[in-house]
Amino acid sequence: VAKAEEQGRTPVIIGDPEHPEIVGIAGWTRHGVVARNWEELEKKLQKNPELYHMPLTFVSQTTAIRTIWEKCMENAKKVCTNADFFDTICGATFTRQTEAAQMARNCDAMVVVGGSHSANSRHLYEICCSACANVQFIENAAQLDTSAFVHADTVGLTAGASVPAWIIKEVKQKMSDEILT
């Protein structure tokens, strides 16, 4: 974004404005625009119609939900006359999100393990909720409510990128011990 601004372009950053990564990225620009999603960006564009014709450089939070980023790109390409796009979503994050969505579609219940302040984990939870009606978002095995799985034949498990392996193993073990007995 600093390089884009040096080149006379206005950085557009797609992500959670309060997330440390976005705060840091925005700190490298004087005139950047930050928006969570297309709807928020569209309102900012409408308030500042000069942006439609300015040179814009789009980047994304590395843990963003790909569908949100893609919707921003798709719509911005239609209305912004001079926009460049840099897909800055982490490849491992995208893979994890894709696999969680696929798993959630095929499960009766899902467990998402991650910190409540982790954007990566919250996005996994949102993705799972969009595909499965019975989703728990927990930080550790003690928070797992196995009674929610009484009518579930298949329960999936996913975790945020920064969750230690031992926590995931504890959750998996508790699921195995309490669901299978």
Side-chain angles (χ1 to χ4, degrees):
V1 296
K3 184 177 179 182
E5 207 166 68
E6 285 174 17
Q7 296 170 344
R9 304 186 68 79
T10 299
V12 178
I13 307 160
I14 305 301
D16 178 353
E18 293 151 24
H19 189 277
E21 177 187 358
I22 298 304
V23 172
I25 293 169
W28 286 94
T29 176
R30 293 182 318 255
H31 307 291
V33 176
V34 178
R36 291 179 195 280
N37 52 41
W38 171 250
E39 292 74 18
E40 199 172 287
L41 178 58
E42 186 175 36
K43 288 177 186 172
K44 291 182 180 206
L45 291 169
Q46 290 169 351
K47 272 187 171 178
N48 302 289
E50 68 278 4
L51 287 170
Y52 288 113
H53 305 291
M54 292 175 65
L56 305 175
T57 297
F58 284 74
V59 297
S60 175
Q61 184 171 330
T62 58
T63 58
I65 296 173
R66 177 149 306 273
T67 55
I68 292 173
W69 168 248
E70 288 173 351
K71 185 175 181 181
C72 287
M73 282 194 312
E74 178 183 329
N75 289 313
K77 285 177 182 178
K78 293 176 186 175
V79 298
C80 298
T81 59
N82 186 359
D84 288 338
F85 300 89
F86 292 91
D87 185 346
T88 51
I89 296 177
C90 170
T93 295
F94 173 64
T95 299
R96 189 178 304 259
Q97 290 175 354
T98 302
E99 290 172 354
Q102 183 179 11
M103 191 182 333
R105 284 192 295 273
N106 295 308
C107 290
D108 301 312
M110 283 293 297
V111 175
V112 178
V113 183
S116 59
H117 298 293
S118 164
N120 171 279
S121 298
R122 281 194 323 271
H123 290 156
L124 286 173
Y125 174 71
E126 292 165 11
I127 289 165
C128 289
C129 284
S130 69
C132 181
N134 185 355
V135 183
Q136 289 185 50
F137 184 31
I138 62 172
E139 291 187 9
N140 55 54
Q143 294 176 338
L144 184 66
D145 177 12
T146 56
S147 68
F149 307 138
V150 170
H151 301 291
D153 290 328
T154 309
V155 181
L157 173 63
T158 189
S162 60
V163 177
W166 66 269
I167 291 178
I168 299 167
K169 287 178 185 174
E170 279 186 356
V171 171
K172 184 179 175 187
Q173 188 62 49
K174 183 172 181 181
M175 289 171 67
S176 297
D177 290 349
E178 295 192 25
I179 295 171
L180 297 175
T181 55

